[in-house]
Amino acid sequence: MEGTLKGTDAWFHDATSKVSAHFGVGKDGTVYQWVDTRDEAWAQAGGNPVGISIQHEGSVPDGLTPQQIAADGKLLAWIFSTHGTPLQITDDPVQGTGIIGHSDGGAAWGGDSLCPGTNIMGQRQAMIDAAAPQVSVVSPSLGLPGGGTAVTVTGTGFTGATSIAFGTAGASNMVVVSDYEITAVSPAGSGTVDVRITGPTGMSPVTLSDKFIYSTGTPTITSVSPSSGDLHGGTIVVITGSGLALVSELTFGSTPCITFNVDSDTQITALTPPGTGSVMLGFTTPTVCGTSGTLTFIYTPSVALPQITSVTPITGSTDGGTSVVITGSGFTGVVALSFGAIPAVSFIINNDTQITATSPASAAGTVDLSVTGLSGTSTASQMDRFTFEPPPPAVTSVAPNSGQQAGGIIVTVTGSGFTGATSVDFGEVDAPAFTVATDKLITVTSPAGSGTVDVTVIGPSGISATSAVDQFTYMAAHSTPVIQSINPATGNAGTSIVITGSGFTGATEVNFGSIAATSFTVDSDAQITATCPIGASTVNVTVTTPFGSSTTNVADLFSYV
């Protein structure tokens, strides 16, 4: 489409334009549906009565944004499941089935030789890939070469999955728990492989999130860095070698190491326990025990640098204000504490091993906390990380807050955290269309419904909490309001009048001529009490509801005196 999604929406709703498509996708991923997919849209002209058309916001030669590709993937998956359209590329408008460009239809499809342009035509495979299952987490991500590890895979689009593969080997005991979760048992394998799901819409693409590591077998330690540290413990060391993926216990000499993380099959990060002298490192896996042999760690007298060993909680809002407890050593005399490059709002040194700090505002992401004492700044490690997460959306008002049960009411939702919103729901029903105007404003079309429901906004950081301010009431169909009398019918600004008639439920406006009433209260479906605004001469009083405005007549005349 040329221009904006909102502009095209207005054009397509004009019956005299004789143009339409089944769907429209904005650059931000917003999806509009204009025509039922069981019906033919104008975009097909006379050439394809069974085609489903998708228009995209932008101009030739624009390509699709990542948000548009993701939205197209969801649409294609739905079209496949609903209509059986194959998820494949075709350029044959007569015999082909799959994804085809408007220009391929020639004169029969309107004769547009440019739409949608070569860039979008080249992105058709990306749309198909986006319709396939998506893997986001594999847990655990490590296992034995012989297989047999029970693994839980989370992601999206798992409904109807037919197989799960670890590299090229199929897993056993696959159970599709939900559209978001699959459990399986790993097959035999080696090295690092991709865990991929195959379903009706294709195979999940390879990502950094789908990796599974087969341990190489018996652990071997080849280096420890640093090779010495404080005899009181608390030194962060990186242990490298091979076959480390399945290490379940680690010791420094005879002392168990309580805090360590298996980073990969070739690396472990550990926090040394207290000790003395030169000690070997010991390890235990499900099948073997061993040591580092001649490779040792040397305990030395106290080091002055502070060390962070844990952060609780490890996540907080990008707005700041989270109370965080930092545990470690050497905190006496700390003069600064930072979250990444941003100083904490405040902090209190509880004792030499604990600090309580208040997080600052920050952009979303993971940062290292650092504490600075008289002797220097703590060394960054996995133990000091804190993740700033955007707060979930919040809805503070819905206007109008009522409308017809058939839906179709344009509603303005105000609040915060709306950037990146993926859905607006009325109760449990998705709105058919919405536009994120700003981070604090969304305009949305109400779906059909009944009763009173909460309007919620879903975004990357969660769903808005429900409250009385987000409620929308569906009203049974009414005729437009009718005014039968006004009492008194004369007065000045500030005069309180009683308007009698019918169809006043849900009234959104009371006007004296073209001027809005200073205030009004809907007493019942048959009565409104309103306060006159400043005005002059004789004017018609009108009442507006979601079902229309009252027709002027002699009974609604009010005279200023």
Side-chain angles (χ1 to χ4, degrees):
M1 68 181 71
E2 293 289 334
T4 65
L5 184 63
K6 186 175 181 180
T8 300
D9 181 58
W11 191 31
F12 281 8
H13 277 94
D14 182 357
T16 63
S17 67
K18 293 187 178 182
V19 289
S20 65
H22 292 95
F23 298 100
V25 181
K27 286 183 176 292
D28 62 355
T30 298
V31 176
Y32 280 15
Q33 181 173 5
W34 292 296
V35 180
D36 192 302
T37 53
R38 293 170 297 183
D39 299 325
E40 183 177 357
W42 284 101
Q44 268 72 261
N48 186 354
V50 297
I52 296 174
S53 53
I54 303 175
Q55 293 285 338
H56 296 91
E57 184 176 33
S59 304
V60 176
D62 290 354
L64 300 180
T65 65
Q67 294 90 336
Q68 286 177 310
I69 291 174
D72 283 345
K74 292 179 181 179
L75 282 175
L76 291 178
W78 180 84
I79 292 169
F80 171 81
S81 65
T82 304
H83 298 287
T85 303
L87 299 183
Q88 62 188 17
I89 294 172
T90 181
D91 296 311
D92 185 348
V94 179
Q95 301 296 327
T97 56
I99 304 173
I100 191 170
H102 191 175
S103 58
D104 287 332
W109 290 8
D112 191 334
S113 62
L114 298 178
C115 180
T118 56
N119 286 331
I120 294 180
M121 292 291 281
Q123 292 177 300
R124 286 181 290 174
Q125 187 59 51
M127 302 178 203
I128 295 172
D129 291 342
Q134 305 290 319
V135 174
S136 56
V137 178
V138 178
S139 179
S141 59
L142 307 166
L144 291 167
T149 301
V151 175
T152 298
V153 182
T154 55
T156 58
F158 293 168
T159 299
T162 55
S163 66
I164 177 172
F166 284 61
T168 59
S172 60
N173 296 5
M174 183 186 80
V175 176
V176 180
V177 179
S178 69
D179 192 61
Y180 309 101
E181 181 178 319
I182 287 178
T183 60
V185 175
S186 66
S190 61
T192 300
V193 298
D194 295 289
V195 178
R196 304 182 69 185
I197 309 295
T198 298
T201 56
M203 177 181 284
S204 60
V206 173
T207 68
L208 294 175
S209 304
D210 67 12
K211 309 301 181 188
F212 183 85
I213 301 172
Y214 286 98
S215 175
T216 57
T218 302
T220 300
I221 297 176
T222 57
S223 71
V224 179
S225 179
S227 59
S228 62
D230 187 359
L231 56 81
H232 294 103
T235 300
I236 298 170
V237 298
V238 175
I239 303 164
T240 56
S242 59
L244 304 180
L246 298 178
V247 169
S248 57
E249 295 181 14
L250 182 68
T251 60
F252 282 68
S254 60
T255 306
C257 179
I258 305 301
T259 304
F260 70 92
N261 183 73
V262 178
D263 305 325
S264 68
D265 197 47
T266 60
Q267 180 175 299
I268 292 175
T269 301
L271 190 71
T272 61
T276 58
S278 178
V279 299
M280 290 187 298
L281 278 64
F283 55 81
T284 300
T285 73
T287 59
V288 68
C289 296
T291 70
S292 59
T294 59
L295 195 64
T296 61
F297 180 84
I298 302 172
Y299 284 98
T300 60
S302 296
V303 294
L305 285 179
Q307 296 288 330
I308 297 176
T309 58
S310 70
V311 175
T312 305
I314 59 174
T315 61
S317 170
T318 53
D319 292 337
T322 302
S323 179
V324 180
V325 176
I326 300 104
T327 304
S329 61
F331 293 165
T332 300
V334 163
V335 295
L337 189 150
S338 295
F339 289 68
I342 306 174
V345 173
S346 63
F347 66 93
I348 298 173
I349 302 171
N350 302 322
N351 52 52
D352 191 67
T353 61
Q354 188 182 86
I355 293 176
T356 301
T358 301
S359 66
S362 172
T366 299
V367 298
D368 292 288
L369 271 68
S370 62
V371 289
T372 301
L374 298 177
S375 59
T377 301
S378 59
T379 302
S381 73
Q382 290 183 337
M383 283 72 167
D384 65 23
R385 291 186 182 162
F386 182 88
T387 299
F388 287 96
E389 298 177 338
V395 175
T396 57
S397 71
V398 174
N401 60 5
S402 61
Q404 58 192 7
Q405 293 179 340
I409 300 298
I410 302 301
V411 178
T412 299
V413 182
T414 56
S416 60
F418 294 166
T419 300
T422 56
S423 179
V424 178
D425 293 346
F426 283 64
E428 296 181 355
V429 182
D430 291 346
F434 68 95
T435 299
V436 179
T438 69
D439 189 67
K440 301 177 185 292
L441 182 68
I442 288 177
T443 56
V444 59
T445 302
S446 66
S450 62
T452 297
V453 298
D454 293 290
V455 179
T456 53
V457 177
I458 301 171
S461 56
I463 183 172
S464 59
T466 58
S467 68
V469 299
D470 69 17
Q471 291 183 339
F472 181 90
T473 300
Y474 285 96
M475 298 184 298
H478 284 69
S479 60
T480 55
V482 175
I483 296 178
Q484 297 172 341
S485 68
I486 294 174
N487 186 33
T490 61
N492 294 311
T495 300
S496 177
I497 70 167
V498 175
I499 305 169
T500 304
S502 62
F504 294 165
T505 299
T508 56
E509 295 180 23
V510 174
N511 291 319
F512 286 67
S514 61
I515 304 173
T518 303
S519 64
F520 70 93
T521 301
V522 180
D523 305 320
S524 68
D525 192 65
Q527 179 175 301
I528 290 176
T529 301
T531 301
C532 301
I534 296 173
S537 70
T538 298
V539 297
N540 293 100
V541 178
T542 57
V543 174
T544 300
T545 73
F547 305 101
S549 298
S550 59
T551 302
T552 58
N553 61 81
V554 295
D556 65 25
L557 292 174
F558 179 85
S559 297
Y560 284 90
V561 296

